Amino acid sequence: MLMKIFDLSSRELNLLIYFAQLRANEKEISITTSQIADFFKTSQQTASRCLIRLSKELGLVSWRSTRKGSFVQLNPLGLDILHQLRFELERALYPDLNIITIHGSVFSGLGEGKYYISRSSYMDSFVKKLGFKPFHGTLNLRIPPVDVDRLDLIRGSWPVIIPGFEEGGRQYGDVLCYEVKIPSLTARVAAIVPRRSHYGSNVLELISDVNLREALNLEDGSELTINYLLNQTSEYDK
Amino acid sequence: MLMKIFDLSSRELNLLIYFAQLRANEKEISITTSQIADFFKTSQQTASRCLIRLSKELGLVSWRSTRKGSFVQLNPLGLDILHQLRFELERALYPDLNIITIHGSVFSGLGEGKYYISRSSYMDSFVKKLGFKPFHGTLNLRIPPVDVDRLDLIRGSWPVIIPGFEEGGRQYGDVLCYEVKIPSLTARVAAIVPRRSHYGSNVLELISDVNLREALNLEDGSELTINYLLNQTSEYDK
DNA sequence: ATTACTACAAGACGAGTAA
DNA sequence: TTTACTCGTCTTGTAGTAA
C-alpha cells in the first residue's frame, strides 16, 4: 500500500532521508543503532524501535540485524515517501509552478501495456476512477534525460490508484495513473507508471479515450508534449 | 536562532509545508484550527496547540487568533526550515550531486559589506570559524535567474554562523557564510548571505583571505564561477 | 461559529539489562 | 561490542467545555 508522509514521525522521515543520503536505495548499507542514535541525538533504544517500525510495521526499509550491527536498504516504498515529500516541498517553495511540461518521443513497445490495461478488472477501475473508458492500447513515450527530473516530480504526486487483482493464479499489481493534458487535444489522457516507484526511469505509457496515434497522426519517433496540472483537485487528502 | 529540521515534529513540518503551499510566506492567510485539523486528520485542539508552538515557542510563523478564526504568515525562519528540508532531500534523492556551480557577474556595491565585515567582533569570529582572516572588503556578485535556484539550495545547507553583537547601541545580526571554491584559485573563499533567509535574492558577497579583485583581475561586469562542495564535513550535525 | 483551557488517556522515550 | 526487551516516566493527543 502507498503510504503518506503524514503517517510518519519526524524521526522516521529524517531517518529515511539519512539512509538515502548514504545511498541505501542502491545497496544495503551497514549501520548500528548507536550511530543512528548519535546522529539524531536520541537513545539507542529509540533508534532501534524506529528501525523496527520502519521495516516491520511500515515496510519502508529492508533490514536485518545481527549481534554485530544492522544492515539496511531502502525499498521502493521508502523512496516513494521521499519523492512525495519532494513534490509537496516543491509546491510549497514554488507555488507559482502550476504546470509541469515534459516532452517525449513515441516508440513501439511489445504490446504489454495493451494486454494489461485490457483486463476487465482494470478497465472497470479506469472508468470508475478516471471517468473514461480507455482505448484498448497504450502509447509509449521515451522521456529525454533533461525531463526525467520533472517526470519524477509527477511521480511524487499522489496518483489515481487502479487497484491490482488476481486472475487465473496470476497477480496484477496496482497501476498508478496521473491525469495529463496534451496541448490542443480535448481528449482525456492519463499517464501510467506500470510498476510502483520506478523513479529515474525514462518511459511512460499514455492511455486515452481516443486512439492517440490516429488522433495526433503519430508514428515512431514523433515528438509529443504533455502537461501535468499541479493544482487540480488532488486525491492527496483522501 | 537558526533551527534544525530535527527539532520539529512531523506535524509541525507538514503544517509549514501546508502554509507555504497556501502562499503564507507572501501574505497573511486566513485559516481556522478546524480546517487544519481536518487536513491532518487530527483534533482541533491538537491543531491549535501546534499553531501555538510554531508561533510562540519556535517563532516560525506569525499568528494572531480571533474568535472568528486565525491569521497566519510564515516568517523567514519558517521558510528557512523548508529550504533546509529541500537541501537534505536533494542530497538524499541525488547523492551523486557533489558540487553546486553558480555563475555571477561582479558589480560594485555601496561599500556596506566592507564596513560590516571589518567590525572587529565579526573579524575575530571569521578567523575562529572559517580559519582565515578576510581581506577588508567584499566582492559583490549578481547571480543570473537560472542559477538562483541553486543559490537557494546552498542557502538551505547549514551555514557557518558568525554571531551578531551589539556595539554602540547598534545591533549587528548573525552573518551566515558558506565556504566555496573558485576554480584555479587556491585562496580560501566564503559566500556571505548578510541577512537571514533572503531566499530568491540574486546577490552574493564573497570574502577571501586575498583581494579577489586583484588576484583574479576582475572589474565590474566580469563573470565569475564559484563551486560549493556538498559533502564537505558539515556543521549540520553539530 | 471560533480558540484554547483542563483533565485524562494514549503513546513515546530512555535507563537498565538480557542475549 | 551489538540488538531489543521491560518498565517507569514524561510527553503528546483528545474529549469536554468555557469564553
Side-chain angles (χ1 to χ4, degrees):
Chain A
M1 233 341 254
L2 232 49
M3 166 156 300
K4 297 189 181 178
I5 50 181
F6 294 176
D7 304 328
L8 292 174
S9 75
S10 169
R11 188 155 295 146
E12 285 154 0
L13 217 49
N14 278 295
L15 196 50
L16 289 179
I17 293 174
Y18 182 58
F19 287 156
Q21 288 180 351
L22 297 173
R23 297 169 188 270
N25 59 323
E26 298 161 2
K27 56 180 198 299
E28 199 178 58
I29 59 162
S30 163
I31 203 162
T32 72
T33 49
S34 317
Q35 279 177 271
I36 297 171
D38 282 356
F39 187 76
F40 289 103
K41 307 214 187 325
T42 183
S43 68
Q44 172 271 326
Q45 292 86 342
T46 296
S48 169
R49 201 174 10 210
C50 198
L51 212 41
I52 292 171
R53 199 174 113 87
L54 277 179
S55 76
K56 293 192 180 161
E57 201 173 320
L58 305 172
L60 302 179
V61 301
S62 307
W63 163 69
R64 58 195 178 85
S65 70
T66 71
R67 293 287 164 81
K68 300 235 168 192
S70 293
F71 298 88
V72 172
Q73 181 161 16
L74 240 69
N75 66 29
L77 265 79
L79 194 61
D80 202 60
I81 290 286
L82 298 182
H83 278 275
Q84 274 185 54
L85 185 57
R86 176 171 184 251
F87 175 76
E88 295 302 325
L89 207 50
E90 289 293 314
R91 283 213 302 167
L93 296 174
Y94 305 100
D96 291 326
L97 182 72
N98 286 313
I99 190 166
I100 298 175
T101 299
I102 60 178
H103 304 89
S105 62
V106 176
F107 73 100
S108 294
L110 302 166
E112 292 169 318
K114 180 175 177 173
Y115 172 76
Y116 276 100
I117 71 148
S118 53
R119 301 298 89 194
S120 68
S121 181
Y122 277 147
M123 269 296 175
D124 293 348
S125 294
F126 280 131
V127 174
K128 190 172 151 199
K129 300 241 176 175
L130 290 173
F132 68 86
K133 186 174 190 300
F135 171 78
H136 59 281
T138 68
L139 184 72
N140 298 299
L141 280 189
R142 184 168 286 116
I143 312 300
V146 72
D147 281 3
V148 167
D149 182 62
R150 270 173 291 184
L151 180 55
D152 281 347
L153 206 52
I154 296 176
R155 286 190 183 106
S157 70
W158 195 253
V160 175
I161 301 172
I162 306 299
F165 56 94
E166 196 187 319
E167 194 179 85
R170 189 165 165 188
Q171 283 292 336
Y172 292 82
D174 288 353
V175 173
L176 310 184
C177 306
Y178 305 86
E179 279 201 69
V180 295
K181 273 287 295 170
I182 294 179
S184 70
L185 186 77
T186 54
R188 305 286 304 276
V189 187
I192 288 183
V193 181
R195 295 209 295 145
R196 176 189 290 154
S197 301
H198 254 205
Y199 294 99
S201 80
N202 66 336
V203 292
L204 205 68
E205 285 185 89
L206 295 180
I207 57 170
S208 173
D209 53 357
V210 301
N211 181 342
L212 290 171
R213 265 188 195 260
E214 281 184 7
L216 294 163
N217 199 21
L218 299 167
E219 37 188 79
D220 282 12
S222 297
E223 294 292 321
L224 187 61
T225 298
I226 63 177
N227 290 320
Y228 178 72
L229 302 176
L230 288 183
N231 295 321
Q232 56 196 339
T233 8
S234 111
E235 297 222 5
Y236 185 64
D237 37 345
K238 280 181 196 165
Chain B
M1 228 346 249
L2 231 51
M3 166 156 302
K4 297 189 182 179
I5 50 180
F6 295 175
D7 303 328
L8 292 174
S9 75
S10 169
R11 187 154 297 146
E12 286 155 359
L13 215 51
N14 278 296
L15 196 50
L16 290 179
I17 293 174
Y18 182 57
F19 287 155
Q21 288 181 351
L22 297 173
R23 298 170 186 268
N25 60 322
E26 298 162 3
K27 57 180 197 298
E28 198 178 59
I29 59 161
S30 162
I31 202 160
T32 71
T33 49
S34 316
Q35 279 177 271
I36 297 172
D38 282 356
F39 188 76
F40 289 103
K41 308 217 186 326
T42 183
S43 67
Q44 172 271 327
Q45 293 86 342
T46 297
S48 170
R49 193 169 28 195
C50 199
L51 212 41
I52 292 170
R53 199 174 115 88
L54 277 179
S55 76
K56 293 192 179 159
E57 200 170 323
L58 304 173
L60 303 178
V61 300
S62 308
W63 164 68
R64 59 196 179 85
S65 70
T66 72
R67 293 288 164 82
K68 301 234 167 192
S70 294
F71 298 88
V72 172
Q73 182 161 13
L74 240 69
N75 68 28
L77 265 78
L79 195 60
D80 202 60
I81 290 285
L82 297 183
H83 279 276
Q84 274 186 54
L85 185 57
R86 175 170 184 251
F87 175 77
E88 295 302 327
L89 207 50
E90 289 293 313
R91 284 213 302 167
L93 295 175
Y94 306 100
D96 292 325
L97 182 72
N98 287 313
I99 190 167
I100 298 176
T101 300
I102 60 178
H103 304 90
S105 63
V106 175
F107 73 99
S108 293
L110 301 167
E112 291 169 319
K114 179 174 177 172
Y115 171 75
Y116 275 99
I117 72 149
S118 53
R119 303 297 90 194
S120 68
S121 182
Y122 278 147
M123 269 296 177
D124 292 349
S125 294
F126 281 130
V127 174
K128 192 172 149 201
K129 300 241 176 175
L130 290 173
F132 67 86
K133 185 172 189 302
F135 170 78
H136 60 280
T138 67
L139 184 72
N140 297 301
L141 279 189
R142 184 168 285 116
I143 312 301
V146 70
D147 281 3
V148 167
D149 181 63
R150 269 173 292 184
L151 179 55
D152 280 347
L153 206 53
I154 296 175
R155 286 191 183 106
S157 71
W158 196 253
V160 175
I161 301 172
I162 307 299
F165 56 94
E166 196 187 319
E167 195 180 86
R170 187 165 164 189
Q171 284 292 336
Y172 293 82
D174 289 353
V175 173
L176 310 184
C177 306
Y178 305 86
E179 280 201 70
V180 296
K181 272 287 295 171
I182 294 179
S184 71
L185 185 79
T186 53
R188 304 284 305 275
V189 186
I192 288 184
V193 181
R195 295 209 294 146
R196 173 190 292 155
S197 304
H198 254 206
Y199 294 100
S201 80
N202 66 336
V203 293
L204 207 67
E205 284 185 270
L206 294 181
I207 57 171
S208 173
D209 53 357
V210 301
N211 181 342
L212 290 172
R213 265 187 194 263
E214 281 184 5
L216 294 164
N217 199 21
L218 298 168
E219 37 189 78
D220 282 11
S222 297
E223 296 290 322
L224 188 61
T225 298
I226 63 177
N227 290 320
Y228 179 72
L229 302 176
L230 288 183
N231 296 320
Q232 56 195 342
T233 8
S234 114
E235 296 221 7
Y236 184 65
D237 37 345
K238 275 181 200 164

